[in-house]
Amino acid sequence: MTDCRHCGLPVPEDGPAAPDFCCVGCQGAHALIQGTGLSQYYQRRCLDPETRALKPEEVEGADFSAHVRMEPAADGRGEEAVLHLMVEGLHCAACVWLIESLLKRQPGVTQARLNMTTRRLTLRFRPHACTGPDGGANAILEPVLKVGYRLVPYDPALLDQATQREEKALLRAMAVAGFASGNVMLFSVSIWVGGEMDMATRTLFHWISALIAIPAIIYAIRPFARSAVTALRAGRGNMDVPITLAVLLAAGMSLWETANQGQHAYFDAAVMLLFFLLVGRYLDLRARGKARSAAEHLLALGAGSVAVARDDGTVEHLPPARVETGATILVATGERIGVDGTVAEGRSDLDTSLLTGETLPEAVEPGSPVFAGTVNLTAPLRITAGSVGEGTLLAEIVRMMEVAEQGRARYVALADRVAKAYVPVVHLMALATFLGWVFLMDAPWQRALLIAAAVLIVTCPCALALAVPVVQVVATGRLLRRGILVKSPTALERLTTIDHMVFDKTGTLTEGRPELVREGAPWTEEDLAAAAALAANSHHPLARALVRAAGGARNAASQVQEHPGQGLSRLSPGGEERLGGRAFCEVTEDAQPVEGPGRPRGPEIWFTRPGQAPLRFAFADSPRSDAREVVAALKARGLTVELLSGDRAETVADVARLVGIDHWAAGQSPGDKVARLNALAREGKRVVMVGDGLNDAPALAAALVSLSPSSAVDVTQTAADVIFQGTRLAPVLEAMEVARGADGLVRMNFGLSFAYNLVTIPLAVAGLVTPLIAAVAMSGSSVVVILNALRLARTHDRR
């Protein structure tokens, strides 16, 4: 039997980390210690039984393997395991950095992302590369559990409950501190105005103040102290450590002075300091609630129950995640749909604004797809469940929203670096301030201690940590309400730099829905009905458009044969009828096309019958209603606009003329589009591509930033950075407007944060800021940053 390479204990022959390590904890610790950064911390925290946050049985008892599900890997190579958890005990950006750093060091982990707003941890890993009998989930998460964080399976209902618990705890602590500060102040005023009060009376008042203040401080400091103790036991620091230290120093010094009958007792300042810190924390929590992630609001929509109809006629109410695929769901009028599926019975109108941003209801009938989060408006429906829980479109949108909100743009990276260096710097600064006042300024140690406490509080970088995330949350939430989904975390940042926009034609500048041109047409309604009878047997887009124009497939012809890529034919009593292309219908070249006025030339279908002249049905794919207005607005902003299409030259030219684009190219293959975008990039252009997210994937990937119109079904399949829904092109302008506004607010928030520190830190070191003023300033800076970001949500939305 060999000894463990890490701790020296014997290695079990059947151990999960044999033959080199006695356990996966030692194996992970050894790998971590060989690296840099967290080595000493992890060695002390996770392996020392005296400082371990959780007992071994608590860590080993946590089993997350049942919550792992398999998904296609992000790099397209096979599958990877995905686990969604909620982290309890999360307080600041430093916590996010620490947890992500621990997880990314584990073997097999491909992604570890933690959303600070929703506290949702998304872990992706390759099971075959991990250790442990469960395929790696528990072994990977073990370091996070050992440092003191609690992980639970992700449940959206827990989010609001946790926030409410925290608010109530803060309110109770604030009430106690406020009551105590008011009463202590009565005795402090007596001492201040009492003139030459004898030492015995003053000491008595100090002891009465201590009897009121000390119990209040012990109770009210708990929201800060719990977080600080957990951090210190784990060998790390957070923003609550200096706050707790400052309050305890002020109270401890006052108690020492009282016991020694001294004059420097500041119980009033200590308890009032704590009161204002609690007020600031509560206001900060409420302000965060107003800027709460759009993803969290979406999650709340799926937290209710759904009515499942059983085969025996009974109805059972279940959480959406527990509904089985294929189950029959009853949806009452006014109820929100909880699963993805298809309509089995009933006709109704749905409010789909959550997914599409469109305010007009959408009609559904048997066979129509429906999605979780939409609202049934007019009549009851029976739905056959398709995707449930994490497999719904709503859940996928939530995951993409969280990635966008928690993205690591350059400003986020800067804030992370500052938060990482915060703990050692602030404590060294406070210590240097104390020593400087004592030894260089010959100040009493009591006054020097209060000045050091003020430095500890005023340097808290809460405002800096919030500067970027809160803007990202507000920006992506505003866009989502307009039917615009940001998939890439850096998309908005890149949108602020573009100077050249390239559009695709079909389905982007145009509606992507061919319409029959009736103006000046040489056919009658009877001819249209006869052609539609054949077209009803095909799924071709033009055939469907022809049937739609005829009022639906009411009299579909029988014995129709479809010729792939050519058209339809059938033998009638008078001979063969054909519907399809010019060549298939054997129409001569001298047959003249007939175009509707004001419409671009588009595709055509010919209809031939024995003994009658061939008839041409022309179609037009009309530009989006606001395409010309949007192009004009882009030009007014200084962007150059270009159109690249694979369609015929005359059709592309007509669309370009109608929407006001001067530069266009027709007959462009996907490779041609990529080559053109690369050429523009070599010229120094910063290009945004707007195109079909499915057909133009290479071009979208080649652009600096990409946008794509898409239906709800295609949201997860597109390659674009930003997806917009609906029939208008205005979301392109909306995304640009929000991106520029967000960039300006991020810069402003950074400026406010740095200005706050540049002003307050020197004043605190110079002894001009009391701990009480420092508490007000620190809390106020965080609230100002959040309220500044909320201005983006109140900005007028473009319609």
Side-chain angles (χ1 to χ4, degrees):
M1 181 177 293
T2 60
D3 292 336
C4 177
R5 292 174 54 188
H6 182 72
C7 66
L9 295 176
V11 177
E13 295 182 0
D14 58 347
D20 298 321
F21 302 95
C22 63
C23 65
V24 291
C26 284
Q27 185 179 43
H30 180 79
L32 192 59
I33 291 173
Q34 297 303 312
T36 58
L38 298 176
S39 302
Q40 295 180 352
Y41 147 74
Y42 187 86
Q43 185 178 29
R44 181 174 67 255
R45 178 66 205 122
C46 296
L47 303 177
D48 187 350
E50 298 300 323
T51 61
R52 182 174 289 149
L54 295 180
K55 298 177 181 179
E57 58 269 20
E58 292 179 295
V59 175
E60 294 168 4
D63 185 9
F64 301 100
S65 57
H67 304 282
V68 175
R69 59 191 181 88
M70 303 302 296
E71 288 185 359
D75 57 9
R77 294 183 297 179
E79 289 188 329
E80 60 185 4
V82 181
L83 182 60
H84 297 282
L85 300 170
M86 189 168 76
V87 182
E88 295 186 359
L90 189 67
H91 291 281
C92 61
C95 298
V96 175
W97 167 81
L98 174 63
I99 293 172
E100 290 183 352
S101 299
L102 284 173
L103 292 175
K104 289 176 181 177
R105 290 172 177 264
Q106 302 307 304
V109 173
T110 59
Q111 183 189 59
R113 300 301 295 272
L114 178 57
N115 187 295
M116 186 174 175
T117 307
T118 61
R119 301 181 288 281
R120 182 177 190 169
L121 171 64
T122 300
L123 180 66
R124 292 178 175 270
F125 60 94
R126 298 187 182 275
H128 60 80
C130 302
T131 58
D134 62 342
N138 296 336
I140 290 172
L141 295 169
E142 186 177 15
V144 178
L145 292 168
K146 284 183 174 179
V147 300
Y149 295 100
R150 184 165 178 255
L151 304 177
V152 295
Y154 194 74
D155 183 358
L158 294 178
L159 290 173
D160 193 49
Q161 295 175 10
T163 302
Q164 289 180 1
R165 284 199 306 270
E166 188 174 358
E167 285 187 3
K168 290 179 180 179
L170 286 174
L171 281 174
R172 287 193 297 267
M174 191 165 52
V176 170
F179 175 81
S181 63
N183 284 274
V184 171
M185 190 60 66
L186 295 176
F187 296 98
S188 298
V189 171
S190 301
I191 296 174
W192 296 340
V193 301
E196 295 298 328
M197 182 179 292
D198 61 89
M199 184 175 62
T201 303
R202 187 187 62 219
T203 302
L204 175 63
F205 278 14
H206 282 168
W207 276 115
I208 296 175
S209 297
L211 290 175
I212 299 173
I214 296 301
I217 290 174
I218 292 174
Y219 178 83
I221 203 174
R222 292 185 304 167
F224 303 104
R226 273 197 293 259
S227 170
V229 169
T230 300
L232 292 175
R233 290 180 61 192
R236 61 182 177 89
N238 63 12
M239 298 177 185
D240 289 332
V241 172
I243 290 175
T244 304
L245 185 61
V247 174
L248 293 179
L249 285 175
M253 182 195 71
S254 299
L255 192 60
W256 170 271
E257 285 289 296
T258 300
N260 290 277
Q261 298 184 344
Q263 300 182 10
H264 300 283
Y266 301 104
F267 292 109
D268 54 343
V271 72
M272 191 168 289
L273 165 64
L274 183 56
F275 173 70
F276 277 101
L277 286 170
L278 288 166
V279 170
R281 178 63 61 90
Y282 180 75
L283 291 177
D284 178 61
L285 184 65
R286 296 290 294 179
R288 285 175 189 246
K290 290 183 179 295
R292 189 65 47 81
S293 165
E296 184 170 337
H297 289 303
L298 287 177
L299 287 170
L301 300 179
S305 62
V306 296
V308 180
R310 299 301 185 188
D311 294 337
D312 58 2
T314 60
V315 177
E316 182 179 5
H317 291 271
L318 296 174
R322 291 179 53 192
V323 176
E324 298 178 354
T325 301
T328 300
I329 309 299
L330 305 180
V331 184
T333 303
E335 185 179 352
R336 192 176 296 275
I337 298 175
V339 300
D340 290 357
T342 56
V343 177
E345 294 181 20
R347 296 175 184 270
S348 184
D349 295 310
L350 300 184
D351 177 2
T352 61
S353 57
L354 176 70
L355 300 178
T356 66
E358 292 292 324
T359 57
L360 293 178
E362 178 182 330
V364 294
E365 58 186 12
S368 299
V370 294
F371 302 97
T374 56
V375 179
N376 182 25
L377 297 177
T378 55
L381 292 174
R382 294 176 74 93
I383 295 173
T384 301
S387 300
V388 301
E390 289 294 324
T392 63
L393 175 65
L394 182 65
E396 182 64 27
I397 290 177
V398 166
R399 287 191 288 272
M400 290 188 288
M401 284 290 299
E402 289 177 342
V403 170
E405 289 174 352
Q406 202 69 10
R408 294 299 192 258
R410 66 176 186 271
Y411 292 124
V412 180
L414 175 61
D416 282 353
R417 287 196 295 271
V418 173
K420 181 179 177 180
Y422 159 71
V423 174
V425 170
V426 68
H427 287 91
L428 288 175
M429 186 181 298
L431 178 61
T433 300
F434 175 78
L435 296 176
W437 274 94
V438 170
F439 294 106
L440 299 181
M441 306 298 293
D442 293 327
W445 69 270
Q446 297 94 335
R447 181 162 186 255
L449 193 63
L450 283 180
I451 294 173
V455 172
L456 283 173
I457 295 171
V458 84
T459 51
C460 183
C462 294
L464 185 62
L466 291 170
V468 183
V470 71
V471 174
Q472 286 182 309
V473 167
V474 174
T476 52
R478 171 180 164 178
L479 290 175
L480 183 64
R481 289 191 296 272
R482 303 297 300 141
I484 306 169
L485 176 62
V486 181
K487 294 182 65 176
S488 169
T490 60
L492 296 182
E493 183 178 302
R494 286 178 278 140
L495 262 179
T496 61
T497 65
I498 58 143
D499 55 16
H500 189 90
M501 183 164 290
V502 176
F503 283 100
D504 178 43
K505 181 184 73 69
T506 304
T508 303
L509 279 176
T510 65
E511 295 177 350
R513 181 184 172 98
E515 296 179 359
L516 181 65
V517 178
R518 293 177 177 272
E519 295 88 344
W523 40 262
T524 64
E525 291 299 322
E526 289 76 13
D527 296 330
L528 175 60
L534 266 71
N537 294 274
S538 174
H539 292 285
H540 191 278
L542 294 183
R544 290 184 175 183
L546 193 66
V547 173
R548 194 166 56 245
R554 290 170 292 187
N555 298 302
S558 59
Q559 298 181 343
V560 175
Q561 182 179 0
E562 184 164 10
H563 305 268
Q566 301 181 66
L568 303 166
S569 67
R570 82 176 186 106
L571 288 175
S572 66
E576 187 179 41
E577 297 178 354
R578 290 192 175 189
L579 179 72
R582 180 191 293 264
F584 176 69
C585 294
E586 300 177 352
V587 178
T588 59
E589 292 295 333
D590 58 354
Q592 296 298 316
V594 178
E595 304 296 344
R599 291 178 178 267
R601 288 182 289 271
E604 62 184 14
I605 287 182
W606 289 86
F607 182 39
T608 59
R609 292 174 292 185
Q612 297 187 36
L615 297 175
R616 178 180 182 269
F617 295 96
F619 297 85
D621 190 5
S622 301
R624 293 177 184 254
S625 59
D626 61 342
R628 187 174 186 86
E629 175 189 345
V630 170
V631 171
L634 291 171
K635 291 181 177 179
R637 297 186 180 191
L639 275 72
T640 51
V641 184
E642 186 173 345
L643 171 59
L644 299 179
S645 175
D647 212 336
R648 296 176 300 166
E650 58 271 20
T651 303
V652 178
D654 280 355
V655 171
R657 174 180 53 81
L658 289 173
V659 301
I661 296 179
D662 301 321
H663 304 285
W664 57 270
Q668 299 287 295
S669 67
D672 295 333
K673 294 180 181 180
V674 172
R676 174 58 181 164
L677 294 178
N678 291 336
L680 290 169
R682 287 192 296 270
E683 295 173 8
K685 298 287 187 181
R686 304 183 70 81
V687 184
V688 57
M689 174 72 187
V690 186
D692 187 320
L694 301 175
N695 301 329
D696 290 324
L700 293 171
L704 176 66
V705 61
S706 54
L707 296 90
S708 174
S710 176
S711 67
V713 181
D714 299 326
V715 160
T716 62
Q717 304 174 24
T718 55
D721 299 312
V722 179
I723 297 169
F724 60 92
Q725 301 177 61
T727 60
R728 305 173 72 241
L729 207 57
V732 173
L733 294 178
E734 177 77 9
M736 293 178 59
E737 178 182 326
V738 171
R740 292 181 180 181
D743 184 70
L745 286 176
V746 166
R747 294 173 185 271
M748 190 181 301
N749 278 351
F750 265 105
L752 290 172
S753 303
F754 283 118
Y756 160 79
N757 285 282
L758 288 175
V759 172
T760 57
I761 291 177
L763 291 176
V765 173
L768 301 177
V769 176
T770 66
L772 183 61
I773 296 176
V776 174
M778 183 269 290
S779 302
S781 66
S782 300
V783 174
V784 167
V785 164
I786 294 174
L787 294 179
N788 186 49
L790 286 173
R791 293 193 300 123
L792 185 63
R794 293 193 295 268
T795 304
H796 172 68
D797 283 342
R798 178 179 297 275
R799 284 285 176 180

